[in-house]
Amino acid sequence: MATIGILGGGQLARMLVLAGTPLGQRFRVVDSAADACAAQIAPLLQADWNDFAALEPFAAESDVVTFDFENVPAATAEWMAARTRVFPNPVALSTAQDRLAEKTLFGRIGLDTPTFAAVDSREDLERAVAATGLPAVLKTRRFGYDGKGQYVLRAPGDLDAAWQALGGVPLILEAFVPFEREVSVVAVRSRSGEFRHYPLTRNWHASGILSASLAPLRGEEALEARAVAHARRLAEHLDYVGVFALELFVHGERLLGNEMAPRVHNSGHWTIEGTACSQFENHVRAILGLPLGDTHALGHSVMLNWIGTLPDAGPVLREPRAHWHDYGKSPRAGRKVGHATICGDDPHELADRLERIGAALDRADQVAPAVAALRSGSP
Ligand code: AMP
């Protein structure tokens, strides 16, 4: 049995603990919040990321340390790596933390990106807009997630407001991509270099936060092969160990890299019930150096995120092959408090289940895109 230390005690840590416990592993989590939801099922060290004295015993008792939270300071990851094994490695983590470094790396491995430019001053912003054109998206280079730290510029008059909203920290400006679809590849690479990927997943966002995911995308084998080749090159380039997600825009024939998440990812939650070996179990396997598990889809799956508050569980629990996840968090606007994954052998059978759930929960809008994709036969 190994002791796995997780930096961050949110729902990702919680699902890692739930997946790794049957493998006989022991878990510890660190979080600055006393009510971190993973602490309901694993011992919590309540500490700040830069409190190295408090982290010392945690490092000493952890055989392996990993992340639930991608914005752990690079200094903390490096400090940990000097004391115990840390996966993914601190360089991979810090590359993925910085949108500029990340997009620069995408270019180096041959993955196209939206046109982008670094913005550190108001003059930079003018120059960057001249390069990208409008509309464009101004983003903080670091600490952005779920659409936070972003401003969409539509007209030259928006520059002042955007600069006022975000200026003062390192920024990146990206051309706005009028994509047809957003997709992600969740993949895993083990300590021995074994690489596997889950089926390409289609994602829908609302207000910058993931709303629904659908997998697999039948008939999209060529697109999947291109996306997976990029994910593999990225993992090999970074000597990455563990699960990660590569988020991509599909625009015409173009596949554009948006971002990489150096951890298990929300668009891979469906793998808990939709595959034989979930992203969470495969992350644990990878960081322990165990053989990786089967990543193939078992039929079709749709994941629905519950943001802010949990709806009534009844309509989900009453459906066959529908699975309810309550993260044990208190409600708060914009907070991920749970999700449901609904599976089916047949796309229409799954669409029927989603429509019943959407109607009963008054969430027809949330299920509609996945239902349409399933019914169209080419999601
Ligand atoms: P991000 O935090 O970068 O993943 O952005 C959150 C969401 O905003 C993405 O999933 C997209 O829906 C949208 N978005 C981000 N960047 C762009 C872009 N350059 N063009 C169009 N939409 C974008």
Side-chain angles (χ1 to χ4, degrees):
M1 180 193 286
T3 297
I4 300 175
I6 308 177
L7 300 180
Q11 70 272 13
L12 302 179
R14 183 179 165 113
M15 288 185 270
L16 283 169
V17 176
L18 289 170
T21 304
L23 295 175
Q25 311 308 318
R26 208 196 303 262
F27 291 85
R28 301 275 179 274
V29 301
V30 187
D31 202 294
S32 57
D35 65 348
C37 73
Q40 294 164 16
I41 59 166
L44 168 75
L45 168 67
Q46 196 187 346
D48 285 332
W49 301 126
N50 43 14
D51 185 353
F52 294 134
L55 293 174
E56 191 77 64
F58 182 87
E61 73 175 5
S62 298
D63 300 298
V64 183
V65 165
T66 189
F67 306 90
D68 140 288
F69 178 61
E70 73 194 67
N71 289 315
V72 169
T76 303
E78 280 156 21
W79 180 91
M80 269 299 164
R83 283 159 184 78
T84 185
R85 290 187 149 117
V86 174
F87 299 118
N89 67 68
V91 173
L93 184 76
S94 64
T95 307
Q97 282 174 348
D98 179 351
R99 292 185 190 275
L100 185 67
E102 183 178 67
K103 289 219 160 56
T104 305
L105 174 60
F106 288 173
R108 203 172 302 150
I109 64 154
L111 170 57
D112 224 357
T113 62
T115 306
F116 65 90
V119 173
D120 293 313
S121 66
R122 184 68 177 72
E123 296 71 50
D124 282 353
L125 183 57
E126 302 279 347
R127 268 195 295 275
V129 168
T132 61
L134 290 174
V137 192
L138 187 64
K139 301 180 179 181
T140 56
R141 275 172 60 179
R142 306 171 66 82
F143 306 119
Y145 64 98
D146 288 344
K148 293 192 176 73
Q150 299 196 12
Y151 199 107
V152 179
L153 295 142
R154 300 194 183 279
D158 294 341
L159 267 67
D160 280 333
W163 181 251
Q164 252 164 29
L166 299 179
V169 295
L171 302 169
I172 181 172
L173 186 77
E174 300 174 9
F176 185 90
V177 182
F179 54 77
E180 292 85 40
R181 289 184 287 170
E182 289 193 84
V183 297
S184 59
V185 188
V186 174
V188 56
R189 185 168 177 271
S190 78
R191 271 157 60 170
S192 64
E194 185 185 358
F195 176 90
R196 292 192 184 199
H197 67 91
Y198 289 94
L200 193 65
T201 300
R202 181 159 178 197
N203 303 309
W204 291 272
H205 292 80
S207 308
I209 306 181
L210 186 67
S211 168
S213 294
L214 162 71
L217 307 186
R218 300 270 188 244
E220 293 286 3
E221 289 72 19
L223 184 70
E224 178 172 281
R226 284 166 62 200
V228 169
H230 290 305
R232 187 177 197 134
R233 271 196 298 277
L234 198 56
E236 286 169 359
H237 184 92
L238 293 168
D239 193 19
Y240 194 94
V241 172
V243 166
F244 66 99
L246 176 60
E247 295 181 59
L248 302 149
F249 299 139
V250 183
H251 181 39
E253 288 302 303
R254 297 179 75 198
L255 197 52
L256 301 160
N258 176 32
E259 67 176 344
M260 174 200 186
R263 51 171 171 74
V264 286
H265 191 251
N266 200 167
S267 70
H269 289 2
W270 68 271
T271 65
I272 298 176
E273 294 90 6
T275 67
C277 185
S278 74
Q279 63 165 346
F280 299 99
E281 180 174 341
N282 259 332
H283 185 70
V284 172
R285 290 187 187 208
I287 66 175
L288 292 175
L290 299 172
L292 297 179
D294 188 356
T295 53
H296 289 96
L298 306 169
H300 302 259
S301 297
V302 169
M303 190 250 8
L304 302 173
N305 250 359
W306 307 137
I307 311 293
T309 52
L310 285 173
D312 176 15
V316 172
L317 297 177
R318 274 191 283 277
E319 290 292 333
R321 296 191 60 189
H323 308 271
W324 182 258
H325 294 259
D326 174 346
Y327 303 152
K329 291 173 158 183
S330 47
R332 191 202 296 155
R335 191 179 209 196
K336 292 176 177 171
V337 291
H339 75 265
T341 298
I342 303 95
C343 306
D345 289 329
D346 173 84
H348 292 285
E349 171 191 62
L350 174 53
D352 291 345
R353 287 178 186 151
L354 287 168
E355 281 180 329
R356 283 194 292 268
I357 290 169
L361 297 181
D362 201 14
R363 286 173 182 258
D365 288 356
Q366 187 176 3
V367 303
V371 167
L374 287 161
R375 299 239 186 258
S376 77
S378 62

